[in-house]
Amino acid sequence: MQSDAPIGVFDSGIGGLTVVRELMRQLPDEDIIYFGDTARVPYGPKSPETVTRYAHEITSFLRDQGVKNVVVACNTATAHALDSLRAHFDIPITGVIEPGARAAVRASASRRIGVVGTQGTVSSGAYERAIHALDEEAEVTARACPLFVPFVEEGWLDHPAINLVAQDYLAPLRDIGIDALVLGCTHYPLLKPVIARALGPDIKLIDSAEETAGEVARLLTERGLRHAPREDRSHLRFIASDVPEQFRKVGERFLGAAIDHVETLTLG
Amino acid sequence: MQSDAPIGVFDSGIGGLTVVRELMRQLPDEDIIYFGDTARVPYGPKSPETVTRYAHEITSFLRDQGVKNVVVACNTATAHALDSLRAHFDIPITGVIEPGARAAVRASASRRIGVVGTQGTVSSGAYERAIHALDEEAEVTARACPLFVPFVEEGWLDHPAINLVAQDYLAPLRDIGIDALVLGCTHYPLLKPVIARALGPDIKLIDSAEETAGEVARLLTERGLRHAPREDRSHLRFIASDVPEQFRKVGERFLGAAIDHVETLTLG
C-alpha cells in the first residue's frame, strides 16, 4: 500500500460529502475519490441484504481504483455492511458508527445517550451495540427521523416546518434526560442549528463526520500511510451513479466548496 | 388476449396502490398483479434513462405473467418511459398523465391549470405537453413538491408541519389564479385535505388515480377485454422488490384495504 494512494469514500448519495469536508479539513494533503450512489439512494428503507450487495459493488470499484482505505460515509451502509466488507476486502475500512459511539460515550456524563438516524440505521441496533461495547450500562434511545433527509435535500434548513418536525422527533429524547445526541446520518450536520434549538443548550451534539475523519487520520498515521506534505493541491474525484448535475448543485452545500466536475458510473 | 387475464400495474413503490384502489372500485371483477419497485424507490430524482430501463424490466416481467394490459401507475415512469414502452411492447399500456391532463382541461374554466409532482415529473414537462395537446392556449404552471412523498410515507397526513409545507409549495399557484390542480403523483391523493386547505374551496383537485382507472375501464370495454361478472372474489397479487413487510404496513393506507401477502422479487 502506498501513502500517495487516494482515500476512497462512499455514500448512498451526497450526505457523505460532510465526511469529505472534514477529511479535507483534517487531512488536507490527501487525494480523495468519492462515490455517491445517487441512482439507488436512499439506502435507509432498504433491506440489509440489498444494502450489503450495493456496498460490496462500490467497495470493489474503489479497490480497483487503487485506494489505500475505504470510508463507508453512510450510517445505513455501515450498520448493515461494515462487518461483511471487513471480512471480504483486505484494505482497511472505516465506518461512521464506531467513531460517533466513542465520542458520545466520552461526552455523556449522565450515561443517557440519544441517537437519531434513518429507519435502517435505527432498526439495525448498530449504535446501541457500538455504545454498549464501550459502556455496558449506558442507556441508549434511538429514534428514526425519516423527514430530516428530504428537508436537507430540499435545502429548507431553516424553514418553520423543519422546526416543527424536529420538535416532534426530538422532544421525547430531551424529556428522558439524554445529555448527548449522536447525529447518526451524514445529512444531519446541516441541521445542527435546528436540532440544537429543539433540544436546548445542555445536550451535546455528536457529529459523526468530524469523528470519522479523526479516526481516518489516526489509522493512516499508525500505518504510515499519510500522504507527504505537498505543494500542489490535493486531487478530489467525484463519481455519481445518476444525475451528476443535481449531485454537483446540492453537493456543494454539503461539501462547503465548489465541485468542478462529476463523473457518472452505473454499477449493478 | 383473454378477458380473464389480470391487469398489470406498477409503480416505484407503494404510491400506485391509490390507482389499484380505484381499479378495485371501478372494475371489481378484474384480477390485478401489482409490482412495487421498493428496492429502487424513489424514481423522482433519477435520470430519464435509468427510469426507462427500470420500466422496461418491470413491464417485461408483467407481460411474462400474462397480463392483458399494463398500467404505469407512477407519474415519473409515465413521463419518462411511456412512449418507449408503447413502442416496444405489443400489449396496451396506460399511463397516469393523459387521463389527468384530460380531466384538468375539462375542469378548468379559466384555462389556468396547476400541476404538482416530483422533480422528475415536473422537469420532464410531460403534463404541459399532454395539456397543450388538448388545449394549446391553456396556461400550465407546474411545481415540484419533493417533501410531499416523505410526509405521506411517514403517515403525517395532518401534522402542522405538512400544512406549512403545503402553504409554501401551493401559495404561488393559488396566487396566479389557477382553478384546477392536477395531483401529478400517486402519493398525493392522501394529502387531498391538506392541499384543499392550502388552496381554498375554489380550486378543483384532479386525482389522477381516479381518472386513470376510468381510462382503463374504457380501454378494456372497447377491446372486449372486461372480465365477466363473477361470483368469487377477484384475485390481487402484490410483489415488491424489497422489504415486503414495510410495503404491507404502509401499503394498506394507500389501498384502503388489507394486504394479506406480499411476494419479494429482485429485478435488474
Side-chain angles (χ1 to χ4, degrees):
Chain A
M1 204 77 76
Q2 305 248 312
S3 63
D4 59 357
I7 298 173
V9 182
F10 77 88
D11 177 37
S12 57
I14 51 179
L17 292 171
T18 59
V19 176
V20 175
R21 179 184 198 153
E22 277 300 316
L23 287 169
M24 288 164 67
R25 202 176 61 81
Q26 298 185 33
L27 295 166
D29 296 317
E30 301 293 337
D31 295 332
I32 297 172
I33 302 180
Y34 182 87
F35 186 92
D37 198 5
T38 47
R40 303 189 288 199
V41 74
Y43 285 2
K46 296 190 172 71
S47 68
E49 296 70 32
T50 299
V51 171
T52 301
R53 181 157 57 87
Y54 295 172
H56 275 258
E57 287 171 9
I58 299 168
T59 304
S60 295
F61 165 75
L62 290 171
R63 183 202 47 204
D64 296 349
Q65 306 298 306
V67 300
K68 61 187 171 189
N69 72 322
V70 168
V71 182
V72 186
C74 168
N75 282 268
T76 309
T78 301
H80 294 324
L82 186 65
D83 291 345
S84 152
L85 293 174
R86 283 182 172 159
H88 191 265
F89 292 92
D90 60 2
I91 40 177
I93 298 184
T94 309
V96 281
I97 290 179
E98 286 158 18
R102 203 160 22 240
V105 169
R106 231 173 18 234
S108 172
S110 72
R111 300 165 87 188
R112 283 208 190 94
I113 297 171
V115 176
V116 284
T118 64
Q119 192 57 59
T121 302
V122 168
S123 304
S124 74
Y127 272 101
E128 281 91 330
R129 278 195 302 280
I131 292 169
H132 286 148
L134 301 163
D135 178 359
E136 270 182 19
E137 310 273 293
E139 263 177 56
V140 184
T141 309
R143 170 90 207 238
C145 304
L147 287 169
F148 278 178
V149 167
F151 268 95
V152 171
E153 302 217 325
E154 184 69 324
W156 288 13
L157 306 178
D158 195 33
H159 192 279
I162 183 61
N163 286 300
L164 290 177
V165 168
Q167 273 296 341
D168 209 311
Y169 284 144
L170 301 174
L173 292 172
R174 188 190 57 215
D175 296 346
I176 58 170
I178 62 163
D179 66 350
L181 179 74
V182 182
L183 307 182
C185 170
T186 49
H187 279 67
Y188 295 0
L190 282 91
L191 292 175
K192 261 189 203 167
V194 169
I195 294 171
R197 204 151 42 230
L199 289 175
D202 299 329
I203 299 177
K204 290 176 207 88
L205 301 187
I206 311 297
D207 177 340
S208 27
E210 231 174 277
E211 305 297 332
T212 301
E215 182 95 349
V216 173
R218 266 189 302 281
L219 173 95
L220 296 182
T221 306
E222 268 170 35
R223 306 203 177 191
L225 286 174
R226 289 279 288 263
H227 196 290
R230 62 205 288 174
E231 299 293 305
D232 59 328
R233 286 183 56 192
S234 62
H235 186 244
L236 303 176
R237 194 176 151 207
F238 299 100
I239 306 161
S241 51
D242 201 9
V243 206
E245 194 41 39
Q246 174 75 357
F247 180 100
R248 208 182 55 72
K249 246 173 37 197
V250 184
E252 292 187 342
R253 201 158 59 222
F254 284 71
L255 190 66
I259 296 177
D260 298 326
H261 176 66
V262 181
E263 302 162 48
T264 312
L265 177 78
T266 306
L267 290 182
Chain B
M1 202 74 74
Q2 305 250 312
S3 63
D4 59 358
I7 298 173
V9 182
F10 77 88
D11 177 39
S12 58
I14 50 179
L17 292 172
T18 57
V19 176
V20 174
R21 180 185 197 150
E22 277 300 316
L23 287 170
M24 288 164 66
R25 202 175 62 81
Q26 298 185 34
L27 296 166
D29 296 317
E30 301 294 337
D31 295 332
I32 297 172
I33 302 180
Y34 182 87
F35 186 91
D37 198 6
T38 49
R40 302 188 289 199
V41 73
Y43 286 1
K46 296 189 171 73
S47 69
E49 295 70 31
T50 299
V51 171
T52 301
R53 181 159 57 86
Y54 294 172
H56 275 257
E57 287 170 9
I58 299 169
T59 304
S60 296
F61 165 75
L62 290 171
R63 183 202 47 202
D64 296 347
Q65 305 300 304
V67 301
K68 62 187 170 190
N69 71 324
V70 168
V71 182
V72 186
C74 168
N75 282 269
T76 309
T78 300
H80 294 325
L82 186 67
D83 291 345
S84 153
L85 292 174
R86 283 182 172 160
H88 191 265
F89 293 92
D90 59 5
I91 39 178
I93 298 183
T94 310
V96 281
I97 290 178
E98 286 158 19
R102 200 155 30 235
V105 169
R106 227 170 27 230
S108 173
S110 73
R111 299 166 87 187
R112 282 210 190 93
I113 297 171
V115 177
V116 285
T118 65
Q119 192 58 59
T121 302
V122 168
S123 304
S124 74
Y127 272 101
E128 280 91 333
R129 279 196 301 280
I131 291 169
H132 285 148
L134 301 164
D135 178 0
E136 269 182 21
E137 310 273 293
E139 262 178 56
V140 184
T141 310
R143 170 87 207 240
C145 303
L147 287 168
F148 278 178
V149 167
F151 268 95
V152 171
E153 303 219 325
E154 184 70 325
W156 289 13
L157 306 179
D158 195 32
H159 192 279
I162 183 62
N163 286 300
L164 290 176
V165 168
Q167 273 297 341
D168 210 310
Y169 284 143
L170 302 175
L173 292 173
R174 187 191 57 216
D175 296 347
I176 58 172
I178 62 164
D179 66 351
L181 179 74
V182 182
L183 307 182
C185 170
T186 50
H187 278 68
Y188 295 0
L190 282 89
L191 291 175
K192 260 190 204 167
V194 169
I195 293 171
R197 204 149 47 228
L199 289 176
D202 299 329
I203 299 177
K204 291 177 207 90
L205 302 186
I206 311 297
D207 177 341
S208 25
E210 233 174 276
E211 304 298 332
T212 302
E215 181 94 350
V216 172
R218 267 189 301 281
L219 173 95
L220 296 183
T221 306
E222 268 170 36
R223 304 203 180 192
L225 285 174
R226 288 280 287 263
H227 196 289
R230 62 206 286 175
E231 299 293 305
D232 60 328
R233 286 182 58 191
S234 63
H235 187 242
L236 302 177
R237 194 175 151 208
F238 299 102
I239 306 161
S241 52
D242 201 8
V243 208
E245 194 40 39
Q246 174 75 359
F247 179 101
R248 208 182 54 74
K249 246 171 41 195
V250 184
E252 292 186 344
R253 200 157 60 222
F254 285 71
L255 190 64
I259 296 178
D260 296 327
H261 177 67
V262 181
E263 303 162 47
T264 313
L265 178 79
T266 308
L267 290 182

